[in-house]
Amino acid sequence: MVHPVYADLPTTIFEVMSGLARETGAINLGQGFPEEPGPEALRRRAALESVDGYNQYPPMRGLPALRQAVADHYAAWQGLDLTAEEITITSGATEALAAAFLSLISPGDEVVLFQPLYDSYLPMVRRSGGVPRLARLDPPHFRITREMLEGLFTANTRVVVLNNPVNPAAVVFSDEELALLAEYCVRHDVIAICDEVWEQIVFDGCRFRSMMSVPGMRERTVKIGSAGKMFAMTGWKVGFLCAAPALTKALAGAHQFLTFTTAPNLQAAYAWGLANCADWFEAMPADLQRSRDRMAGALEAAGFRVLPASGSYFLLVDLAASGVSEDDRAFCLRAVKDHGVAAIPVSAFYEQDAPTSLIRLCFAKRDETLDAGVARLAAARAARS
Ligand code: PMP
Ligand code: GLN
């Protein structure tokens, strides 16, 4: 007998769509990964570390140099006062999330989450014994409101999970929304697990604010980051858990029996990168913003209705408003099988009451890929509108 959480768990939509794209040779605008290979200096550094560096088990909580570099980076970019002792290095944000859920949720604890939600959250919350309490953020702006929070938090609420910027909604929460959620966390003595992996990818002059910097939240926030997102190299799978010492002790306890540690050559390269790639952090969002605008412009010219996007490298398209009379899954399957372009149906990010006419497109691609991808989407639209 397998555990009930896994008995009927479908394969994640990202793998399904990438698998179909591999099979059919489609342009993959589905799973979020950049087409460019990432900063060359950093890749050379990792090669050097692999050849001349240390390749045995690094310390369980991560290389001291990387933990310090993460703390310094967040001090410079987000004004946080983290120490290296408050950082645990994980094998990607996915492992960081799992460690946070396993160590902070006890059976029966209520866990507040917002739909749309990243697809690892609910299975891991349930596997940890948590009871999900779901709120729903509505397109096109996906805002958090007081009415939504009232009644959602109870005496049994132990954890809230917040993804900001939001995948797939591509919105960044305002200071007011963060303060509102913080008010409920403090009032109900709740820990916030904050998945901030898209923190470095915000547009239009918007400044990202970590939940950890909101008054009252320093000691009750678990901040999760991903070097894969920061440096546009998703395959390296190095993540960070940042939290006050009492929480870090529990988080590290879970981490030590999930993966224990992560590749030392990559950790060393990222430590170097965080200290030496300030220009990358300026250039990357500006480049991505140009790609966002190129793709949005091409989509609109082709008759698609695009939702506003201020963070992450995703754009949402409203199929119904674009004249497509098909739901998101049917459209995405037809687009990848018949028209050579993969996208993600947004209903995959909801457990209940999913909108069924939104698709997510990744624009971290070369111009020619974006143009060809949009042309193929236009052909898929023309075939059914
Ligand atoms: N959380 C969110 C919201 C994500 O979008 C992703 C990956 N795109 C992850 C977690 C996982 O990050 P990692 O690849 O570092 O495990
Ligand atoms: N987070 C990536 C996305 O949203 C996918 C990561 C994965 O496939 N595990 O596309």
Side-chain angles (χ1 to χ4, degrees), residues 306-319:
V306 181
L307 272 61
S310 53
S312 81
Y313 36 58
F314 303 119
L315 274 178
L316 296 186
V317 164
D318 186 333
L319 292 176

Side-chain angles (χ1 to χ4, degrees), residues 12 14-15 30-33 94 118-119 167 198 229 237 314 344 349 360:
T12 165
F14 308 116
E15 177 62 17
Q31 189 177 35
F33 59 88
T94 307
Y118 188 61
D119 67 350
N167 175 11
W198 297 101
K229 299 293 184 294
K237 299 294 286 187
F314 303 119
I344 299 288
F349 294 80
R360 191 197 78 175

Side-chain angles (χ1 to χ4, degrees), residues 10-44:
T11 302
T12 165
I13 190 69
F14 308 116
E15 177 62 17
V16 169
M17 294 313 296
S18 283
L20 286 169
R22 283 190 289 266
E23 254 170 52
T24 58
I27 293 174
N28 193 351
L29 304 179
Q31 189 177 35
F33 59 88
E35 187 168 13
E36 296 292 352
E40 183 176 342
L42 191 56
R43 287 182 285 124
R44 292 199 180 283

Side-chain angles (χ1 to χ4, degrees), residues 20-250:
L20 286 169
R22 283 190 289 266
E23 254 170 52
T24 58
I27 293 174
N28 193 351
L29 304 179
Q31 189 177 35
F33 59 88
E35 187 168 13
E36 296 292 352
E40 183 176 342
L42 191 56
R43 287 182 285 124
R44 292 199 180 283
R45 187 76 194 193
L48 189 77
E49 295 290 349
S50 306
V51 176
D52 294 337
Y54 184 73
N55 287 296
Q56 307 307 335
Y57 295 127
M60 185 268 279
R61 290 190 186 191
L63 286 188
L66 179 56
R67 297 170 72 197
Q68 189 58 54
V70 170
D72 293 346
H73 177 82
Y74 285 139
W77 282 85
Q78 294 173 19
L80 301 180
D81 61 352
L82 288 160
T83 66
E85 287 62 47
E86 293 175 300
I87 315 284
T88 308
I89 307 302
T90 58
S91 293
T94 307
E95 194 227 340
L97 285 160
F101 295 140
L102 291 171
S103 60
L104 301 178
I105 299 171
S106 298
D109 285 347
E110 287 184 11
V111 178
V112 167
L113 303 108
F114 298 92
Q115 301 184 99
L117 36 71
Y118 188 61
D119 67 350
S120 80
Y121 298 171
L122 281 178
M124 290 308 298
V125 165
R126 292 200 167 107
R127 187 65 186 88
S128 308
V131 180
R133 302 263 300 162
L134 292 172
R136 192 191 127 111
L137 309 177
D138 288 320
H141 299 298
F142 299 95
R143 305 293 23 149
I144 297 177
T145 62
R146 184 176 292 280
E147 299 74 68
M148 190 181 281
L149 301 184
E150 209 50 62
L152 196 60
F153 285 72
T154 73
N156 298 326
T157 311
R158 169 101 174 109
V159 166
V160 59
V161 183
L162 186 73
N163 174 215
N164 184 34
V166 187
N167 175 11
V171 297
V172 184
F173 292 121
S174 65
D175 285 3
E176 290 71 29
E177 287 167 296
L178 295 182
L180 183 63
L181 190 57
E183 182 189 318
Y184 281 82
C185 289
V186 171
R187 188 186 306 157
H188 294 268
D189 194 16
V190 162
I191 294 167
I193 298 177
C194 295
D195 177 346
E196 299 183 347
V197 300
W198 297 101
E199 60 202 344
Q200 217 70 41
I201 307 176
V202 292
F203 305 125
D204 307 315
C206 158
R207 197 185 58 85
F208 174 76
R209 175 161 194 186
S210 173
M211 186 55 132
M212 191 171 256
S213 72
V214 176
M217 295 307 290
R218 175 66 175 84
E219 305 299 311
R220 59 175 73 252
T221 298
V222 175
K223 172 180 173 58
I224 293 176
S226 168
K229 299 293 184 294
M230 283 180 169
F231 287 104
M233 288 192 287
T234 58
W236 281 14
K237 299 294 286 187
V238 176
F240 329 124
L241 279 161
C242 314
L247 290 175
T248 285
K249 186 168 182 299

